Amino acid sequence: MIDITLAHASDPHLTMDSLHIRPRDLLNKRALSYLSWQRRRRRHQARTLQRVMDDIIAHDVDMLALTGDLTNLGLPDECAQAARWLSRLPMPVTVIPGNHDALVRSDWHETIGRWSAWMGPLPFPYIRRIGPVALIGVNSAHPTPCFCAAGSIGARQCARLATILDETGRQGLYRVIMIHHPPLARLTTPRKSLRDADGFAACIARNGAELVLHGHTHVSTQTTMPGPVGPVPVVGVASASACVADPARAASWNRVRISTLPDGYRTEITRRIILPGEAPLGTPPIIFTATAASPRLSGISSP
């Protein structure tokens, strides 16, 4: 038996307190996000994020899967700061961008491209292997108009995703899709949704996957979407830096333990919640198995 343990975290929104923000940096959509950050900066705290990371480290994970929004404005200096933060983490990391990382059109090499060391071979979707687990990084983050935080993957990326899922499925790999925006419309408002969620859902329904991980909503959720032989778990997680008392929105991470079986895989998912002033709390685990015939799920519920 092979056991692989993933940590899923998202939306750390690293603090900008040490960065010099110039007026010319805000002559675009970034101005609105800067005002939002100023209004909500007390909600996203560096010490809360550190508590999350300390808890992840204490659980000795094999890989940290980060589903976007490392920054607030997607500025080059922010992306460089995020790269330094990633380089100091004591475990392997796989990262995809979020909408805040791609607020406006920017030079790839000066912004998100600084995180290439923590991605797989591009273009998106990329693949990173860890034993029998294939982490498939999908990019749903693209510049959008003001007051819009929606995402899309596009026809070309969707076609490539279908090919990757088919190939990795034939190899018997455990396929984990990482995407920033939730792939189900009911999980967020139209302004923040995945615009081509129907295309993504059709791809999963045809080609399958074992698990979909996302962020973006700042709410921890557990639901499913149809797959070719049964439901595919879809798991979201709250912001890793959110210092709030609501357990659904408090800083959290998902511990995903994947174990090989003679005819498939067993997955156990526990959400670790970091509430202000309290010790980390673990939820009862969700356990499901997947075989070539069909997945059998226990404990999955719609939000």
Side-chain angles (χ1 to χ4, degrees):
M1 177 183 291
I2 299 174
D3 288 328
I4 301 294
T5 301
L6 306 178
H8 169 220
S10 196
D11 300 74
H13 290 287
L14 297 171
T15 181
M16 297 190 295
D17 287 335
S18 63
L19 300 180
H20 175 61
I21 309 298
R22 299 163 296 186
R24 67 185 184 188
D25 294 329
L26 305 178
L27 297 177
N28 46 44
K29 183 182 177 181
R30 285 177 173 141
L32 296 175
S33 289
Y34 182 75
L35 291 174
S36 176
W37 176 75
Q38 289 282 12
R39 187 173 68 253
R40 301 181 181 181
R41 60 192 301 178
R42 293 181 182 178
R43 182 179 302 179
H44 295 283
Q45 297 189 1
R47 62 176 177 268
T48 301
L49 175 60
Q50 188 57 54
R51 290 186 64 204
V52 169
M53 299 313 302
D54 289 344
D55 197 49
I56 292 174
I57 292 168
H59 282 79
D60 192 27
V61 303
D62 297 297
M63 177 71 73
L64 169 60
L66 269 174
T67 49
D69 275 2
L70 279 67
T71 71
N72 297 281
L73 310 181
L75 290 166
D77 285 352
E78 280 189 286
C79 293
Q81 173 184 254
R84 292 191 295 272
W85 179 74
L86 289 168
S87 69
R88 292 193 295 266
L89 296 179
M91 77 289 287
V93 183
T94 299
V95 66
I96 57 169
N99 61 294
H100 278 268
D101 307 319
L103 279 180
V104 302
R105 295 192 182 278
S106 303
D107 184 284
W108 167 264
H109 299 287
E110 292 298 314
T111 54
I112 296 168
R114 293 179 181 270
W115 310 337
S116 295
W118 298 278
M119 299 180 187
L122 297 176
F124 292 101
Y126 64 70
I127 306 175
R128 288 193 73 185
R129 283 279 305 275
I130 175 168
V133 176
L135 290 164
I136 302 169
V138 175
N139 182 17
S140 63
H142 307 284
T144 55
C146 290
F147 306 108
C148 177
S152 63
I153 61 175
R156 182 176 299 181
Q157 195 176 180
C158 192
R160 180 172 163 80
L161 175 62
T163 299
I164 289 172
L165 290 173
D166 182 61
E167 291 176 349
T168 50
R170 291 178 184 274
Q171 295 170 33
L173 299 179
Y174 186 104
R175 299 160 296 176
V176 180
I177 299 176
M178 298 170 56
I179 184 169
H180 181 66
H181 292 79
L184 298 169
R186 67 178 182 270
L187 294 179
T188 189
T189 63
R191 185 178 71 85
K192 298 181 179 181
S193 66
L194 184 69
R195 288 175 169 170
D196 47 5
D198 287 348
F200 181 89
C203 181
I204 301 304
R206 287 192 309 267
N207 300 282
E210 280 60 61
L211 181 63
V212 178
L213 301 176
H214 72 86
H216 187 53
T217 62
H218 293 199
V219 182
S220 294
T221 55
Q222 298 161 351
T223 186
T224 65
M225 63 192 308
V229 293
V232 175
V234 177
V235 179
V237 70
S239 165
S241 60
C243 183
V244 297
D246 179 355
R249 296 180 177 274
S252 303
W253 65 280
N254 291 314
R255 181 179 182 269
V256 183
R257 185 177 181 181
I258 302 161
S259 304
T260 57
L261 299 174
D263 60 347
Y265 295 94
R266 178 187 187 273
T267 307
E268 179 178 304
I269 302 179
T270 302
R271 178 157 55 99
R272 301 282 299 173
I273 307 170
I274 311 298
L275 292 168
E278 298 185 21
L281 171 68
T283 62
I286 298 168
I287 299 171
F288 59 93
T289 59
T291 67
S294 65
R296 300 183 299 277
L297 294 91
S298 172
I300 294 283
S301 60
S302 298

